[in-house]
Amino acid sequence: MTEPSTTRAGTGPAPASAPARRGPVVAALMLGMGLAAIDGTIVSTAVPQIVGDLGGLAVFSWLFSGYLLAVTVTLPVYGKLSDTFGRKPVLVAGIVLFLIGSLLCASAWNMASLIAFRVVQGLGGGALQGTVQTIAADLYPLKERPKIQARLSSVWAASAVAGPAAGGLLAGYADWRWIFLINLPIGLVALWLVCRHLVEPERTAPRARVRIDWAGALCVFTTGVLLLTALVQGGVAWPWLSAPSLGLLGGAAALGAVTVLVERRAAEPIIPGWVWRRRTIAAVNLALGALGLLMVAPTVFLPTYAQSVLGLGPIAAGFVLSVMTLSWPVSAALSNRVYTRIGFRLTAVLGISGALLVLLAFPLLPFPGEPWQPALLMLLLGAALGLFQLPLIVGVQSTVPYGERGTTTASVLFCRQVGQSVGAAVFGAVANGVLAARLGGDGDLDALARALDSPDSLPPATTDLLRRAVDAAVDYVYLGAAGAAALALLVLLTLAPRRFPVLGEGAGREE
């Protein structure tokens, strides 16, 4: 499966840091990624204390939505900036912004101010997520790249377990403001390591002054805000067919068309046309967008299933989900032994095929079942998705030169984030629709889950009916996730090239 590589002159990647400095830089990347990874899980456990102190129960969901919006819509902008001005200044700016946002969050005086400061955090988080992944690809040649990716995956795994525990302890025994202040020492260490040890290759001075596509950046940002606000709040804050939803979706469509026109005319567009004209990048973008879509099933709906159907407590329910984050990095670390033999595309096909089978198996679980049954499926799902995601990210990063890697990585992460937002909206509507059909009236999965928190207060027949309704709703969500996996598989088989056109990195081959 190996062929001589066709390397374009002047396009070979340049390492971001000398090998001697690689260790401290990797530590900085893991700390930086840890800031972004632990954010959602550590905040979620402290919501009751935050609402009790600041009020704002009706809008507290924007603590997460505002952060997600800021991260997602800034990813393409930071990707382009890192290709234009270098990774180091973008990463430094991202860490500083995140820490400023954390400090402001800890000093919030009401829910509105806390939500605004969470957006500031998200502006830094967008730089952290995209730039850390790009530097990781710069640091290591193709053969060694799974090492750093596996370490970054392990950060997400550890955060999934440690975040809720740390948030609960700080909120219960100290003060909820410490969940933001704890970011400061971690971020300052990461900042010091980056400033001291990250040495980027010398950049050739441009013949003409670099022009930043501010109009394109504004259009991308505004379009993303409108679209994601519609997806996040539709069916929650207002009905899907209401004036706010239709207005936001219509505005996003109109601004999307304007963005395309602006980007076509820009000398250095934020989202270049080649991101979608190149088969490999377009295929990976679509496939990982489908990954974001299917990930909503285990991350959002599985904890509700574990508590409402299986009757587990929050900690035990979290364990059912966390086993997926344990097998994922192990599978990712071993994936290079597969894709170096059969190629990136076929490895990803094997991974998503396995994920498809696991997702289809979930609705076949008995009712109410035993906790080890969904836990086993999540263990297998994590192993399958490790074989799917990492080869695609490593593969697509290896098809572009150093000066395009930031934009490429950001486009992949952006599509995954948008897929996750779409999935939350679509599958939320699916679950509530199933509940409405089963129980009559309007279905509300969250309200049903809260009612099942105290099953002893309900008649046994009612409890059984509600649990079966939740079981059916989550089953349909997993079927929808299987559809997303099938879509990713179709994209890989029809759009992705059989061999990724890898640029020469001394490997002397084309995958």
Side-chain angles (χ1 to χ4, degrees):
M1 292 294 296
T2 60
E3 296 178 3
S5 165
T6 54
T7 307
R8 284 171 276 184
T11 61
S17 182
R21 299 185 181 92
R22 188 182 286 176
V25 174
V26 169
L29 296 183
M30 294 179 70
L31 289 173
M33 186 61 80
L35 289 174
I38 204 171
D39 180 82
T41 55
I42 196 172
V43 173
S44 62
T45 55
V47 165
Q49 288 77 14
I50 294 174
V51 172
D53 188 14
L54 301 181
L57 177 63
V59 294
F60 83 90
S61 63
W62 275 99
L63 291 177
F64 309 97
S65 301
Y67 180 86
L68 175 65
L69 284 170
V71 169
T72 304
V73 300
T74 55
L75 276 168
V77 178
Y78 286 128
K80 182 63 179 180
L81 291 178
S82 73
D83 282 342
T84 305
F85 299 105
R87 327 296 193 212
K88 186 172 183 176
V90 175
L91 181 57
V92 167
I95 295 174
V96 170
L97 260 178
F98 192 92
L99 295 184
I100 290 174
S102 299
L103 188 59
L104 290 172
C105 286
S107 63
W109 53 91
N110 57 28
M111 185 61 74
S113 64
L114 182 58
I115 290 171
F117 298 149
R118 285 282 289 165
V119 172
V120 176
Q121 255 194 322
L123 296 177
L128 286 173
Q129 289 195 30
T131 314
V132 164
Q133 292 278 8
T134 304
I135 295 175
D138 295 339
L139 280 174
Y140 288 86
L142 177 58
K143 285 184 177 180
E144 300 180 40
R145 209 162 284 163
K147 295 180 180 179
I148 180 62
Q149 293 291 351
R151 292 179 185 178
L152 294 178
S153 297
S154 68
V155 170
W156 286 94
S159 300
V161 178
L169 288 173
L170 290 173
Y173 296 98
D175 187 276
W176 63 264
R177 298 178 190 273
W178 280 100
I179 67 176
F180 298 107
L181 293 175
I182 199 174
N183 292 331
L184 299 180
I186 299 173
L188 289 173
V189 172
L191 187 63
W192 178 78
L193 290 172
V194 169
C195 293
R196 182 175 177 83
H197 295 286
L198 179 59
V199 179
E200 294 194 275
E202 294 184 5
R203 305 178 65 85
T204 304
R207 295 179 181 179
R209 182 183 176 185
V210 175
R211 291 189 294 176
I212 302 176
D213 180 23
W214 293 117
L218 180 61
C219 286
V220 170
F221 186 89
T222 309
T223 302
V225 167
L226 292 181
L227 175 61
L228 293 177
T229 301
L231 293 174
V232 169
Q233 295 298 101
V236 178
W238 47 70
W240 279 109
L241 296 180
S242 65
S245 281
L246 296 177
L248 286 169
L249 291 172
L255 273 174
V258 172
T259 301
V260 172
L261 294 176
V262 170
E263 293 297 83
R264 282 183 174 180
R265 297 180 180 180
E268 293 289 339
I270 293 294
I271 303 181
W274 53 260
V275 167
W276 292 105
R277 287 194 297 269
R278 297 180 191 174
R279 284 181 59 195
T280 305
I281 302 175
V284 172
N285 282 343
L286 293 174
L288 290 188
L291 172 65
L293 194 69
L294 73 86
M295 281 300 296
V296 171
T299 57
V300 176
F301 290 90
L302 184 64
T304 299
Y305 171 88
Q307 293 182 67
S308 299
V309 177
L310 302 181
L312 301 178
I315 296 177
F319 175 76
V320 173
L321 173 61
S322 68
V323 293
M324 180 180 70
T325 64
L326 299 178
S327 60
W328 191 317
V330 174
S331 174
L334 298 175
S335 66
N336 67 322
R337 301 186 181 184
V338 182
Y339 68 65
T340 53
R341 297 181 180 180
I342 65 175
F344 294 115
R345 175 176 174 262
L346 187 51
T347 303
V349 165
L350 291 176
I352 198 62
S353 298
L356 174 59
L357 294 176
V358 172
L359 293 167
L360 288 173
F362 189 91
L364 302 178
L365 292 178
F367 176 87
E370 298 292 333
W372 67 265
Q373 294 167 334
L376 176 61
L377 289 183
M378 292 307 98
L379 189 71
L380 296 175
L381 183 63
L385 293 178
L387 276 181
F388 169 68
Q389 178 182 258
L390 185 63
L392 290 182
I393 292 179
V394 171
V396 77
Q397 288 176 330
S398 303
T399 65
V400 294
Y402 176 84
E404 296 176 354
R405 193 173 289 153
T407 299
T408 300
T409 303
S411 73
V412 169
L413 298 178
F414 175 76
C415 288
R416 190 179 67 185
Q417 292 281 95
V418 171
Q420 189 171 346
S421 299
V422 171
V426 170
F427 293 149
V430 168
N432 291 336
V434 172
L435 291 177
R438 290 269 177 158
L439 303 175
D442 296 327
D444 187 340
L445 183 61
D446 292 335
L448 212 58
R450 288 193 294 270
L452 288 170
D453 281 342
S454 303
D456 295 337
S457 63
L458 301 171
T462 302
T463 300
D464 183 71
L465 176 65
L466 297 182
R467 282 181 170 171
R468 288 185 180 275
V470 172
D471 179 67
V474 176
D475 284 348
Y476 274 95
V477 167
Y478 268 81
L479 288 175
L487 177 62
L489 179 60
L490 182 64
V491 166
L492 292 177
L493 293 176
T494 59
L495 183 59
R498 297 186 66 180
R499 291 190 178 95
F500 282 22
V502 174
L503 296 181
E505 288 187 329
R509 69 168 176 272
E510 179 179 296
E511 297 288 356

